[in-house]
């Protein structure tokens, strides 16, 4: 499958995010912004979720990277429509770029679009891209201090995924510390414990996302 590679347009308009939402709403599409550090497991989580959802829902993916198209190729191998968005050095994706790239996807044939944002715990949190749902991933090997160090990322998210949870026995990771800090900055927001290797927790998160897709369909 041919992968289209587009480059981020750095123009900014505070209304573009709402325009993107309107476009997606017209097509009854739920767009999910997946954020986290490099190596947190964003691509693996997206592929696992697509596997759980594809029986009932049609998915597409926008893969954000500074350069290259490795992750988009991985998604395309699953037979999923994928577009690569290269930011050419920018540390986040902007709404204007999403607006420019949406026509490259078959919007009439999609129910959900996953956007894999640039690996970064700072900049992506600051820019709305017209998403219906924000997911922040924190992998166990990253350490338990990230909520304190990068509060905005964990405040402006709809749920937190503790990824690579099967590695808990091998790292000095204080889960209670993370949960307490997350509850402080984002009271009541859901938290999921996931292992892509074992499959634990994937179905629970997929069910949560399916409910968001149903809301977009209504």
């Amino acid at each position: 499958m041919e992968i289209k590679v587009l480059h981020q347009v750095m123009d900014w308009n505070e209304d573009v995010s709402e325009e993107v939402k309107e476009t997606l709403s017209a097509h009854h599409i739920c767009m999910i912004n997946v954020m986290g550090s490099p190596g947190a497991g964003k691509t693996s989580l997206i592929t696992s979720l697509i596997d759980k959802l594809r029986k009932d829902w049609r998915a597409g993916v926008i893969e954000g990277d500074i350069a290259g198209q490795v992750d988009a190729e991985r998604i395309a191998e699953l037979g999923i429509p994928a577009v690569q968005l290269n930011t050419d050095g920018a540390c986040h994706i902007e709404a204007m770029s999403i607006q420019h790239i949406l026509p490259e996807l078959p919007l009439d044939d999609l129910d959900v679009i996953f956007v894999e944002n640039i690996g970064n715990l700072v900049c992506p949190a600051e820019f709305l891209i017209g998403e219906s749902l924000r997911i922040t991933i924190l992998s166990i090997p990253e350490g338990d201090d990230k909520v304190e160090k990068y509060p905005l990322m964990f405040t402006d998210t709809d749920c937190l995924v503790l990824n690579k949870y099967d590695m808990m026995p091998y790292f000095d990771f204080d889960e209670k510390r993370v949960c307490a800090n997350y509850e402080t900055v984002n009271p009541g927001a859901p938290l999921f414990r996931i292992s892509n290797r074992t499959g634990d927790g994937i179905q629970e998160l997929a069910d949560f996302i399916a409910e968001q897709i149903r809301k977009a369909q209504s």
Side-chain angles (χ1 to χ4, degrees), residues 18-29:
E18 289 302 317
E19 292 173 4
V20 170
K21 279 188 174 182
E22 291 173 4
T23 298
L24 295 170
S25 177
H27 290 85
H28 306 289
I29 293 174

Side-chain angles (χ1 to χ4, degrees), residues 138-147 171-174 178:
L138 173 63
S139 66
I140 300 306
E142 291 178 71
D144 53 29
D145 59 353
K146 297 302 180 288
V147 181
F171 288 87
D172 185 16
F173 186 94
D174 188 343
V178 170

Side-chain angles (χ1 to χ4, degrees), residues 8-79:
Q8 173 149 281
V9 179
M10 296 304 292
D11 298 332
W12 176 251
N13 184 320
E14 63 182 6
D15 297 325
V16 173
S17 177
E18 289 302 317
E19 292 173 4
V20 170
K21 279 188 174 182
E22 291 173 4
T23 298
L24 295 170
S25 177
H27 290 85
H28 306 289
I29 293 174
C30 175
M31 189 167 75
I32 300 172
N33 186 359
V34 181
M35 303 177 290
S37 300
K42 295 186 294 297
T43 308
S44 295
L45 181 63
I46 289 171
T47 56
S48 294
L49 288 171
I50 288 174
D51 183 61
K52 293 292 186 183
L53 294 166
R54 67 189 307 170
K55 179 181 177 182
D56 299 310
W57 308 106
R58 302 163 298 173
V61 177
I62 296 173
E63 277 292 342
D65 284 298
I66 290 177
Q69 60 183 65
V70 175
D71 291 336
E73 291 172 349
R74 180 177 170 186
I75 296 294
E77 288 175 356
L78 302 175

Side-chain angles (χ1 to χ4, degrees), residues 3-4 19 25 36 49 54 64 70 78 89 91 96 110 118 123 129 142 147 154 156 163 172 180 187 201 206 212:
I3 301 295
K4 292 186 178 181
E19 292 173 4
S25 177
L49 288 171
R54 67 189 307 170
V70 175
L78 302 175
C91 60
M96 181 70 75
L110 297 178
I118 306 302
C123 303
I129 58 172
E142 291 178 71
V147 181
F154 298 91
D156 290 348
N163 200 21
D172 185 16
Q212 311 308 311

Side-chain angles (χ1 to χ4, degrees), residues 184-196:
T184 297
V185 301
N186 202 342
L191 184 150
F192 298 89
R193 296 161 178 84
I194 299 292
S195 169
N196 284 294

Side-chain angles (χ1 to χ4, degrees), residues 136-204:
T136 296
I137 303 175
L138 173 63
S139 66
I140 300 306
E142 291 178 71
D144 53 29
D145 59 353
K146 297 302 180 288
V147 181
E148 294 165 81
K149 288 185 174 181
Y150 307 100
L152 183 61
M153 175 59 75
F154 298 91
T155 301
D156 290 348
T157 190
D158 296 297
C159 69
L160 172 61
V161 171
L162 290 183
N163 200 21
K164 306 182 183 180
Y165 198 73
D166 55 299
M167 302 186 76
M168 279 286 287
Y170 310 106
F171 288 87
D172 185 16
F173 186 94
D174 188 343
E175 183 178 353
K176 291 183 178 179
R177 176 185 184 185
V178 170
C179 293
N181 289 326
Y182 182 52
E183 178 64 23
T184 297
V185 301
N186 202 342
L191 184 150
F192 298 89
R193 296 161 178 84
I194 299 292
S195 169
N196 284 294
R197 187 179 66 82
T198 67
D200 291 343
I202 298 293
Q203 188 62 59
E204 289 81 359

